[in-house]
Amino acid sequence: VRIAMQQDKANFSREQITAARGAGPARFAYLLRAITRQGRKFKPPALLPVLRHEGTEHIGAEAITKTLGASYAAAERATPVTPGDFVSSSNDVRSLSDCLDVAASPSVVDLLRGFLDLKKGRAPGLSQIPAEVFAANPIAAALAYAPVILKLIARGIGPLQWSGGLAHSIPKGTKDPSSVQGWRAILLLESDAKAFQKAWRPYLLQALDPVRSVGQHGGIPRHTLEQPSALVRAHFHGLSAANQSGGALFVDCAAAYYSVVRDFYLAGPYHNWTDDELQQRAKLFFADTQSQAAFLKDMRDGLWLESLQLPSALHRIVLAQFHRTWYVDGRPGTTLYLTQTGTAPGSPVADALFAFLFSRFLHGMEEFLRGHLASPHIQVQQAEAAEAPAWADDVVILFTARSVSEVEGLLGEIGRQVIKHLRRLGLSANLGPGKTEAVVALRGHGSRDVRRRLLGADCPALSLTTETEEFPKLRLVPGYTHLGTFLNAELSEMANLKRRAGLLASTFKPIRNRLLNNPFLLPTEKRELLLGRVIPCFLHGSGLWRLSTKHEHEVAVGPLYSAFRQCIRPITGSSSAKMTQAEVLAALDVPSPEELLDVHRVRALFQVLRADMRRVCAGTPVAALVADAEDADLSLLSVRLQDQVNWDDVRLRQQQGEALAVLSSCGPGLAHTCHLCNMAYATHRRLSVHLAKCHGIAGKGPQPWWASLRPI
């Protein structure tokens, strides 16, 4: 049975390696989760479902489905509705007032690309028609759906099955699965709806580019996590170089894609609500009167929507996307919900539609920082500054204070402005640990007193409450995990390197036990697992690491060398004892950790040059490459060929054991000499270790200069 199981695992892994080749390490980890039994998307075996909510235990799939569906309705302001009432109230038509150019709408070629981009093996919607049906003949599918798209643009209303889907519950992994907070929902759309959204997504991104914030990334082609991370690192490095005070406020929104108010797409003449209905919707979305008044003003004048300058055909597609959105709480579902907010998380256009709305928040914070002279002035794209780098809904507010005494007041005002601007969009900041937190850099005269006042408590926090308004407290932390990288104000890499080493160990152990030790996998396949799954886990964001000390460099390459050495026996069948690091690399035919770091630095260099962010890379290893980038020929990268391993020599060394023994040592660099033998050492610590191991004398530790003084 064990041999058969190993053969099945080997065949399954071989298929996933082929399927994930070229798709990146994230897709590779997703496909291997059934064997490694880890990761956010790993599904453990289903046990008897029990859910505790509001003092009541819900037992059984139907009761839990109904409870989770009702909990999701709070974020999307959804209300239950009967299918008959929903269908009868969805027959309205948004008539055309002007002629539209059909050439500006998604074409048959765009639909063909959408059907070809459908991923296989994904869960279907309520109809249970998988994507493989359309992938069997995408040309026929595109020709069949082209008239439907023209009808959608003409009527302004899409098919009902395209405006909603099945709310599939997924456990969060880090929270208690017996509570509603331990689950989140993702919308399972129909396959043809996904293909249509993939067809008009490029048009949406093209319209987003001129209106988005400079530091706004996420979901945009050719934008990577390194770009917002580089902006944050550049800010802290600039504060250190100029000996200035400032900091960064890391903001995490709670259920952003579910609760964002999307009515702004219908502002001006594009809605049919009366003033009373608009006021009711304002009370539904916002709790404070200021946000309600701002919403009513935006809906009446429609200036923000007009500033987007969306093409008419694209705008009508967006309106059809948000018309009468709904979800069913499971399969088989118990309740149909009609939603009022959100951009349908799980759909191919959810992030782009959210980016339009979220750009209002980013532009508002940028104007506030520039008005208060707190902008960090990190220039990208020639002369534009990026005060609020963001990846989807994870945003960082960078600020600089003119003096250390202004940091507390400025940070408090920034926190209040963040909460106010998020409320204008129907959003709220998640103020839990590790979510919305601030990291401050305090330098200059009086910094010690400010540091004691702000950071002296066991759980440092800054109160944002004023005399007229009540706000929650803001947590102050020494470091923050931003986009997978731990950052602090001093830009020390030790904490981040130790965190990456822990992630490497947790990832490498199941792969080594379940895959590398499998005798039915070929050595080349095991090597591909090592290069495609293990190494990227540790080197995430390594192109921007600042390894300023020798100890940091050792910690950066040590975990990879250790992992390589542990792969010798599973891959080659021989022991790694007495093998040098060069022999380990040659036996596995893998690059050295130093070479891998250089590769990631070159990748970061290209990202910096392509985004015109030369000033951002100051203080990083990329800066040395930027100086010579215009003269260097980066199209040809030299690759060092590994030498062949002389296994006979390795086995001889293993049989002989330790062949070298140090009998004596001396020299100008060895100032600490043992008084019992001829050994000398460079530091007092090494001498103390020698005395304890060889002579049984306990070390006294380093002695101060006054310890040798004698009274006269």
Side-chain angles (χ1 to χ4, degrees), residues 373-635:
L373 302 179
S375 174
H377 302 293
I378 300 177
Q379 294 184 359
V380 298
Q381 297 180 1
Q382 296 179 355
E384 296 189 52
E387 292 89 351
W391 184 269
D393 61 329
D394 292 330
V395 59
V396 188
I397 310 299
L398 309 177
F399 66 94
T400 303
R402 286 170 290 187
S403 64
V404 68
S405 59
E406 297 181 0
V407 172
E408 183 177 2
L410 181 59
L411 178 58
E413 185 61 29
I414 291 175
R416 287 186 286 270
Q417 290 295 324
V418 165
I419 294 176
K420 288 181 180 179
H421 281 78
L422 288 178
R423 286 176 179 174
R424 300 286 177 88
L425 296 176
L427 302 176
S428 61
N430 189 346
L431 297 173
K435 300 299 182 180
T436 299
E437 296 174 335
V439 177
V440 293
L442 305 175
R443 296 181 178 89
H445 179 70
S447 60
R448 180 178 299 178
D449 297 335
V450 177
R451 186 177 292 106
R452 288 175 178 174
R453 185 171 65 254
L454 290 180
L455 308 177
D458 294 335
C459 296
L462 179 64
S463 178
L464 304 180
T465 302
T466 62
E467 297 179 356
T468 58
E469 294 180 279
E470 184 176 354
F471 293 94
K473 290 186 177 181
L474 177 64
R475 292 169 53 89
L476 303 178
V477 293
Y480 186 87
T481 303
H482 176 240
L483 301 179
T485 301
F486 187 82
L487 300 175
N488 51 35
E490 291 75 20
L491 287 181
S492 173
E493 296 292 347
M494 284 304 303
N496 181 45
L497 292 174
K498 292 180 180 179
R499 180 177 178 273
R500 301 308 315 178
L503 295 175
L504 173 66
S506 61
T507 302
F508 177 63
K509 183 177 180 180
I511 292 179
R512 181 191 60 192
N513 295 340
R514 296 187 173 96
L515 292 174
L516 296 184
N517 289 327
N518 193 326
F520 298 100
L521 279 175
L522 299 176
T524 55
E525 295 170 339
K526 295 180 180 180
R527 177 180 173 274
E528 194 164 356
L529 283 170
L530 177 64
L531 294 176
R533 182 68 185 95
V534 178
I535 294 178
C537 177
F538 180 76
L539 294 179
H540 173 78
S542 59
L544 301 173
W545 288 354
R546 297 176 69 249
L547 306 178
S548 55
T549 64
K550 182 180 179 181
H551 183 51
E552 287 181 345
H553 185 271
E554 292 176 353
V555 177
V557 300
L560 287 180
Y561 274 124
S562 176
F564 290 160
R565 188 169 290 273
Q566 295 179 56
C567 293
I568 290 294
R569 186 179 293 276
I571 295 180
T572 65
S574 302
S575 173
S576 62
K578 310 301 178 184
M579 292 183 66
T580 63
Q581 301 289 20
E583 290 174 337
V584 170
L585 298 176
L588 298 177
D589 192 20
V590 295
S592 66
E594 291 82 1
E595 292 173 330
L596 293 172
L597 284 174
D598 290 339
V599 170
H600 282 74
R601 288 167 183 168
V602 171
R603 289 177 180 173
L605 165 66
F606 279 108
Q607 294 294 337
V608 167
L609 295 179
R610 183 170 58 186
D612 195 8
M613 297 164 58
R614 289 174 174 83
R615 292 188 59 185
V616 171
C617 63
T620 65
V622 182
L625 299 176
V626 172
D628 303 328
E630 296 180 356
D631 300 331
D633 184 9
L634 297 178
S635 60

Side-chain angles (χ1 to χ4, degrees), residues 208-221:
L208 172 65
D209 191 65
V211 299
R212 68 178 180 88
S213 174
V214 177
Q216 189 174 5
H217 307 276
I220 304 175

